[in-house]
């Protein structure tokens, strides 16, 4: 809106990034060689909007011929000297810089389509949502705005009523500017530009995974304006006690935007993934009178987002929800893909549904509050993504294994965080490729379960004292041993699997198994232990009848199924984990 600070904040962002700032009004004045006020007075608003539309299209659409005649600065030089280079994918963007639009520009139908195209190609459209009185004062100070010459307060408020919903719909991010200095607002915009955004298709709704700093600021964009007919009014913020500081931040963002927020605290880790916990939350939602227009925000590790998603899927047969993962494992795996579920006495995740969030907000700053063990377990799922689809992940881990193994999450440097963000982004892209083509796990998506068949059995038999990523790590070694027994891979592959997992501090043997199959164990004890493991693996979701099915890797980056292996080979691979 007029007076929201577009020019000042835009210039600040451009300065901090070391890139070019453009103003559509200034471009029009330069091209037409007359002021905006003169164009309005001599040629009318309709003519002005037509010129404006064409100028904006020249910036945001690569298929338009218009280019700014003043765009002659050496971009590579600007980037070399930038203080904080942005992460926007350059190959998809027509211009390099920040463009400030006139307040009426987004109301043009063709400009709206151009902005949507720009956003689809990876660009960011930021809506600076200013406080009215503050913006009106700024807008009328210069006296150069033709639309505000008479009765500016009424005109501004009328324009706001006409434009706000369109602005909000077009924006990839809405930034309330009240109480922020231009530098503070600019830094928030830069955080948005620094994000890695991965689009997940193949589901309804399709959604984005935002990976970066301060991504929780997107919550209002995903939940909708609470004052509009389509926005959520009440939000249940479901989280564990261990992430209270992060839930406090989410709650403040939600309440500042106008939502009624109820916090629901559930037990940590797998203790929270029970029917009793879910039933208690259902009771609370009933007492609150939650309707289909209300929403769930799940914040925490993978178990918390699993539970929050299951509650959202089952309450009134489905209400909208947002996942806000705070652990590495949740960011790279659990929060994306639409799997929701709880555990039962029979096994892990046997009760659940496929139900997609409206968005995933992975704020990497939350990783700084993890213990080293919880950070390391997340690397199990990262390594898995490398083995089944993206060998580059494994090369990055090889190069930085010492850093990852000894990392103190509380003291992550910017350089280390960049490496971690790349690993997260690559892992999420692997998951996106699998879930976008196979949401219901009828084919390709099964490969995401590499290492999980035995991994889930270990978790169950260890009464969930093992972390999920630790169990999956041993499960991958098991799958590699099984593949080697069946002649699918050679011994070097198995050794490499063990080496890369151990290099980042993940386990590759199962201590309880070593005890059960040790020299002091009787044949009956060994057979009983083997039978219990087999029984749990037969309950695996990939099993068909009494036929076991495993995901194996035949070469790095390519997974396949191994169906109905002999019981002797299954037991032999199990014994190899004891050595």
């Amino acid at each position: 809106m007029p007076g929201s600070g577009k020019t000042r904040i835009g210039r600040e962002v451009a300065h901090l990034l070391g890139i070019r700032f453009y103003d559509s009004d200034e471009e029009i004045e330069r091209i037409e060689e007359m002021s905006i006020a003169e164009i309005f007075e001599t040629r009318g608003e309709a003519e002005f909007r037509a010129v404006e539309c064409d100028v904006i299209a020249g910036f945001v659409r690569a298929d338009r011929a218009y280019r700014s005649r003043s765009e002659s600065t050496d971009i590579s030089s600007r980037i070399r000297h930038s203080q904080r280079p942005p992460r926007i994918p350059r190959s998809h963007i027509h211009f390099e810089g920040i463009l400030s639009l006139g307040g009426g520009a987004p109301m043009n139908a063709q400009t709206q389509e151009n902005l949507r195209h720009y956003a689809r190609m990876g660009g960011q459209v930021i809506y600076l949502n200013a406080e009215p009185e503050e913006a009106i004062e700024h807008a009328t100070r210069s006296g150069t705005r033709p639309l505000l010459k008479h009765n500016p307060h009424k005109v501004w408020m009328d324009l706001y009523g006409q434009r706000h919903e369109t602005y909000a719909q077009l924006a990839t991010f809405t930034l309330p500017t009240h109480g922020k200095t231009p530098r503070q607002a600019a830094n928030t915009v830069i955080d948005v530009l620094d994000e890695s955004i991965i689009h997940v298709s193949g589901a309804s709704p399709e959604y984005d995974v935002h990976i970066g700093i301060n991504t929780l600021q997107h919550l209002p964009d995903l939940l909708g304006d609470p004052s509009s007919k389509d926005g959520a009014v009440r939000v249940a913020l479901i989280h564990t006690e261990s992430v209270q500081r992060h839930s406090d931040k989410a709650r403040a963002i939600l309440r500042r935007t106008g939502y009624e927020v109820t916090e629901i605290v559930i037990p940590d880790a797998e203790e929270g993934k029970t029917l009793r916990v879910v039933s208690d939350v259902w009771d609370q939602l009933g007492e609150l009178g939650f309707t289909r227009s209300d929403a769930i925000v799940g914040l925490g590790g993978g178990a918390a987002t699993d539970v929050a998603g299951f509650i959202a899927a089952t309450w009134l047969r489905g209400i909208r929800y947002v996942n806000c993962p705070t652990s590495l494992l949740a960011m790279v795996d659990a929060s994306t893909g639409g799997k929701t579920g709880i555990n039962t006495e029979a096994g892990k995740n046997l009760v659940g549904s496929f139900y997609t969030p409206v968005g995933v907000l992975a704020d990497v700053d939350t990783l700084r509050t993890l213990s080293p063990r919880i950070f390391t377990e997340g690397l199990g799922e990262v390594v898995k993504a490398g083995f089944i689809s993206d060998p580059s992940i494994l090369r990055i881990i090889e190069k930085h294994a010492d850093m990852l193994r000894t990392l103190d999450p509380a003291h992550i440097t910017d350089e280390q965080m960049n490496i971690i963000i790349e690993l997260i982004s690559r892992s999420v892209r692997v998951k996106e490729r699998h879930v976008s083509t196979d949401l219901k796990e009828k084919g390709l998506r099964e490969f995401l379960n590499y290492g999980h068949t035995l991994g889930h059995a270990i978790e169950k038999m260890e009464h969930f004292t093992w972390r999920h990523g630790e169990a999956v790590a041993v499960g991958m070694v098991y799958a590699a041993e099984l593949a080697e027994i069946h002649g699918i891979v050679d011994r070097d592959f198995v050794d490499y699997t063990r080496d890369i997992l151990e290099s980042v501090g993940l386990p590759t043997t199962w201590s309880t198994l070593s005890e059960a199959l040790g020299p002091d164990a009787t044949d009956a004890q060994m057979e009983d232990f083997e039978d219990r493991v087999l029984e749990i693996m037969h309950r695996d979701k990939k099993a068909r009848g009494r036929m076991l099915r495993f995901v194996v890797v035949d070469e790095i980056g390519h997974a396949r199924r191994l169906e109905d292996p002999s019981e002797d080979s299954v037991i032999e691979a199990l014994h190899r984990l004891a050595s």
Side-chain angles (χ1 to χ4, degrees):
M1 286 292 295
S4 61
K6 294 187 298 292
T7 300
R8 189 171 179 187
I9 293 171
R11 289 188 188 281
E12 188 72 30
V13 172
H15 169 71
L16 292 173
L17 293 178
I19 57 179
R20 184 71 177 273
F21 173 76
Y22 301 90
D23 185 292
S24 62
D25 285 352
E26 291 179 358
E27 290 293 302
I28 293 168
E29 290 181 336
R30 182 185 56 77
I31 293 167
E32 299 300 316
E33 298 181 340
M34 57 195 310
S35 69
I36 301 299
E38 289 173 326
I39 298 174
F40 263 76
E41 187 172 334
T42 61
R43 296 159 63 179
E45 184 176 356
E47 175 74 13
F48 168 78
R49 296 300 179 196
V51 174
E52 180 181 54
C53 178
D54 192 54
V55 167
I56 294 168
F59 278 94
V60 302
R61 291 195 70 104
D63 53 354
R64 293 297 291 261
Y66 170 84
R67 290 181 186 270
S68 167
R69 284 178 288 184
S70 65
E71 188 175 357
S72 58
T73 307
D74 179 7
I75 290 170
S76 63
S77 174
R78 291 202 304 275
I79 294 299
R80 278 199 305 273
H81 294 94
S82 69
Q83 299 175 34
R84 190 174 177 185
R87 300 175 191 270
I88 301 176
R90 310 263 180 262
S91 60
H92 298 315
I93 304 302
H94 180 47
F95 76 105
E96 178 79 34
I98 307 295
L99 173 64
S100 171
L101 302 185
M107 305 310 292
N108 177 281
Q110 184 57 55
T111 296
Q112 290 174 17
E113 177 53 36
N114 291 339
L115 292 176
R116 291 189 188 100
H117 168 82
Y118 176 70
R120 287 194 298 271
M121 293 298 101
Q124 294 281 7
V125 181
I126 311 293
Y127 169 27
L128 302 181
N129 191 12
E131 194 274 331
E133 295 303 325
E134 192 175 86
I136 292 167
E137 180 187 347
H138 292 165
T140 55
R141 194 176 295 159
S142 65
T144 60
R145 300 177 188 266
L147 291 179
L148 300 179
K149 289 175 64 175
H150 307 290
N151 197 352
H153 187 280
K154 181 180 185 306
V155 171
W156 195 98
M157 294 304 298
D158 288 346
L159 288 173
Y160 182 79
Q162 297 164 16
R163 296 174 176 179
H164 169 70
E165 189 168 343
T166 299
Y167 288 176
Q169 289 174 351
L170 290 172
T172 57
F173 180 67
T174 298
L175 170 61
T177 58
H178 181 61
K180 287 185 169 65
T181 66
R183 175 61 66 93
Q184 289 171 330
N187 280 326
T188 301
V189 171
I190 290 171
D191 286 341
V192 173
L193 298 182
D194 275 348
E195 290 176 4
S196 174
I197 302 175
I198 299 166
H199 185 71
V200 182
S201 59
S204 181
E206 296 186 354
Y207 59 96
D208 291 327
V209 181
H210 296 256
I211 303 163
I213 295 171
N214 209 24
T215 57
L216 291 180
Q217 294 288 344
H218 290 293
L219 276 170
D221 297 306
L222 297 175
L223 297 174
D225 189 335
S227 63
S228 71
K229 63 179 181 180
D230 297 324
V233 176
R234 286 174 294 191
V235 175
L237 179 56
I238 299 176
H239 65 90
T240 57
E241 189 172 352
S242 60
V243 297
Q244 185 66 54
R245 62 182 291 185
H246 308 310
S247 66
D248 288 345
K249 180 178 179 180
R251 184 185 66 247
I253 291 169
L254 292 167
R255 286 183 174 167
R256 189 166 62 238
T257 311
Y259 302 101
E260 298 175 18
V261 183
T262 298
E263 285 193 77
I264 299 177
V265 181
I266 62 174
D268 276 324
E270 301 300 326
E271 289 184 15
K273 291 183 62 173
T274 67
L275 182 58
R276 180 188 60 78
V277 170
V278 170
S279 181
D280 287 345
V281 177
W282 284 335
D283 288 342
Q284 292 184 64
L285 296 182
E287 292 171 4
L288 292 166
F290 253 54
T291 70
R292 281 199 176 97
S293 62
D294 299 316
I296 300 284
V297 171
L299 189 146
T305 56
D306 276 357
V307 172
F310 183 66
I311 292 165
T314 52
W315 185 254
L316 298 176
R317 298 185 176 90
I319 62 175
R320 84 185 85 178
Y321 81 106
V322 179
N323 272 338
C324 301
T326 60
S327 71
L328 179 60
L329 184 137
M331 290 180 187
V332 301
D333 182 60
S335 62
T336 301
K339 270 189 178 181
T340 74
I342 58 174
N343 304 331
T344 69
E345 286 299 317
K348 184 173 179 178
N349 293 330
L350 296 181
V351 175
S353 66
F354 293 97
Y355 189 69
T356 53
V358 295
V360 177
L361 305 178
D363 186 342
V364 295
D365 259 352
T366 62
L367 299 177
R368 302 180 192 277
T369 62
L370 300 180
S371 69
R373 181 186 177 189
I374 294 178
F375 175 84
T376 299
E377 72 136 341
L379 293 173
E381 289 286 356
V382 175
V383 171
K384 178 205 76 177
F387 270 113
I388 67 170
S389 185
D390 184 359
S392 296
I393 290 174
L394 302 184
R395 289 194 289 270
I396 294 169
I397 289 175
E398 288 174 20
K399 183 177 180 180
H400 302 286
D402 289 343
M403 179 273 286
L404 293 168
R405 185 182 64 256
T406 60
L407 184 74
D408 178 0
H411 299 95
I412 299 175
T413 66
D414 289 344
E415 182 180 356
Q416 291 170 339
M417 186 62 86
N418 286 336
I419 295 166
I420 293 166
I421 289 174
E422 182 173 4
L423 289 173
I424 294 171
S425 299
R426 285 185 174 276
S427 300
V428 173
R429 288 191 188 282
V430 168
K431 184 149 195 182
E432 179 274 324
R433 287 195 293 270
H434 287 74
V435 304
S436 290
T437 56
D438 180 25
L439 176 65
K440 298 295 181 69
E441 199 171 61
K442 296 179 180 178
L444 184 67
R445 183 169 182 166
E446 282 191 336
F447 295 154
L448 293 170
N449 290 310
Y450 183 54
H452 285 56
T453 302
L454 180 68
H456 284 165
I458 293 173
E459 288 181 90
K460 175 69 175 173
M461 293 189 68
E462 296 291 346
H463 306 289
F464 299 106
T465 57
W466 277 52
R467 307 291 306 184
H468 175 70
E470 296 167 342
V472 167
V474 176
M476 284 189 282
V477 176
Y478 176 80
E481 294 281 10
L482 189 61
E484 196 263 339
I485 292 170
H486 283 267
I488 297 170
V489 297
D490 58 20
R491 195 67 212 166
D492 287 344
F493 179 88
V494 180
D495 292 340
Y496 175 75
T497 301
R498 289 180 180 271
D499 288 345
I500 196 164
L501 290 167
E502 290 173 354
S503 74
V504 294
L506 285 163
T508 57
T509 59
W510 185 7
S511 56
T512 301
L513 176 70
S514 301
E515 296 169 7
L517 304 182
D520 296 330
T522 66
D523 289 345
Q525 289 173 326
M526 293 171 62
E527 187 174 337
D528 177 66
F529 188 90
E530 293 164 356
D531 287 346
R532 282 191 289 149
V533 174
L534 285 171
E535 180 184 0
I536 296 173
M537 288 200 295
H538 272 292
R539 296 176 192 160
D540 182 77
K541 296 185 291 294
K542 294 183 298 303
R544 299 292 183 269
R546 294 302 297 171
M547 182 180 76
L548 282 173
R549 298 166 78 241
F550 292 88
V551 176
V552 297
V553 170
D554 51 18
E555 61 177 325
I556 293 175
H558 186 266
R560 54 169 280 193
R561 296 175 188 84
L562 174 61
E563 298 191 349
D564 202 21
S566 68
E567 185 171 307
D568 286 345
S569 67
V570 171
I571 296 298
E572 169 61 22
L574 193 63
H575 279 245
R576 291 185 181 186
L577 295 181
S579 57

